[in-house]
Amino acid sequence: MSQDELKIAAARAALSHVEDGMKLGIGTGSTANAFIQLLAERVGEGLRVVGVPTSEQTARLCLELGVPLTALDEAPRLDLCIDGADEIDPNLNLTKGGGGALLREKIVAHAAAKFIVIADESKLVPALGTFPLPIEVNPFGLEATRRNIEDAYAALGLSGEARLRVRDGQPFETDGGHIILDASFGHISDPKALSDALHAIPGVVEHGMFIGMTSLAIVAGSESVRVLEAPKA
Ligand code: 5RP
């Protein structure tokens, strides 16, 4: 199976968790897009759901395909959120934000009673950090914030560069009007310590580690689609 077929297989398996009447957080990225396509088919057949999109891109696709949407302020408690990921570790901690939607993705996932991540098996990693960690920052004082970020991770024994994400020759701007630094560490041994250190820096809006948030991971491989549960705390 191709990677796209695996994404569709994971998305199809996630659809079985969607029930009539649910308020759904809807993720961003190519795997989430596969889910939206399948969800739209079910909506066409009469499934009644209302979605809260995690990005403008997702909102556009949902509207195009006829998936009803509302704002998180109108539905602040969601039944379920379904989204993709860039990395999934054995504790189902995630790296997200490859598509730049990490802030809204985290807010929406946190508002949901259940958070299901869908992915092909290439996203499974022994530890987070191979995929550069997206750190969303306010553009004001970028260099000061970048230095504080580098000092914070150096204090945790991590090294690597925090690079400004650029698209079409310009700093990539998130839906919230912020910018992203992608920090390459190679291996994050203590995601919680890094998360706390980043959250303590003024100018850091959010980072792409989703720690202890995932209820289930639905991971498609060439042999089977596996449903992984987070280990009990
Ligand atoms: C977007 C994300 C995506 O979920 C993540 O990048 C995975 O994308 P894809 O399904 O295209 O591999 O976090 O901000």
Side-chain angles (χ1 to χ4, degrees):
M1 275 208 249
S2 69
Q3 201 178 16
D4 283 347
E5 288 168 333
L6 294 177
K7 290 176 185 186
I8 293 168
R12 180 166 288 115
L15 206 54
S16 67
H17 294 262
V18 177
E19 294 168 17
D20 200 51
M22 273 188 163
K23 294 175 188 163
L24 278 184
I26 304 179
T28 296
S30 55
T31 318
N33 286 349
F35 172 75
I36 295 166
Q37 299 274 355
L38 295 168
L39 181 68
E41 287 172 18
R42 293 287 310 280
V43 168
E45 292 160 7
L47 179 76
R48 289 165 303 165
V49 289
V50 63
V52 170
T54 54
S55 64
E56 299 299 326
Q57 180 195 315
T58 287
R60 280 193 294 275
L61 183 62
C62 289
L63 291 175
E64 198 182 299
L65 297 177
V67 175
L69 294 180
T70 189
L72 190 57
D73 284 339
E74 300 301 321
R77 293 279 175 265
L78 303 173
D79 300 296
L80 175 63
C81 178
I82 294 182
D83 200 350
D86 298 300
E87 292 184 321
I88 306 171
D89 81 4
N91 293 314
L92 305 193
N93 295 325
L94 314 174
T95 302
K96 286 185 52 54
L102 62 128
L103 176 60
R104 291 192 188 182
E105 288 174 333
K106 199 177 272 191
I107 293 171
V108 172
H110 196 261
K114 196 168 180 183
F115 176 43
I116 297 181
V117 62
I118 51 176
D120 65 86
E121 65 185 356
S122 72
K123 305 295 180 66
L124 292 175
V125 293
L128 304 184
T130 304
F131 191 92
L133 177 68
I135 304 171
E136 184 160 349
V137 301
N138 194 296
F140 179 82
L142 171 63
E143 281 315 312
T145 304
R146 189 208 300 255
R147 282 177 197 209
N148 285 331
I149 289 171
E150 289 174 345
D151 288 349
Y153 62 69
L156 293 169
L158 294 165
S159 59
E161 203 186 338
R163 282 194 187 189
L164 181 65
R165 189 179 295 188
V166 172
R167 182 183 282 176
D168 300 328
Q170 297 296 320
F172 173 87
E173 189 179 310
T174 68
D175 285 344
H178 308 125
I179 54 185
I180 290 184
L181 296 173
D182 289 303
S184 299
F185 299 117
H187 178 104
I188 301 170
S189 52
D190 189 343
K192 175 75 169 66
L194 180 59
S195 172
D196 290 347
L198 292 174
H199 280 152
I201 299 170
V204 170
V205 179
E206 195 44 87
H207 60 71
M209 286 178 291
F210 284 44
I211 300 171
M213 295 177 69
T214 310
S215 316
L216 292 179
I218 299 179
V219 181
S222 43
E223 302 294 312
S224 62
V225 176
R226 284 183 289 158
V227 179
L228 309 177
E229 276 185 48
K232 298 274 176 277

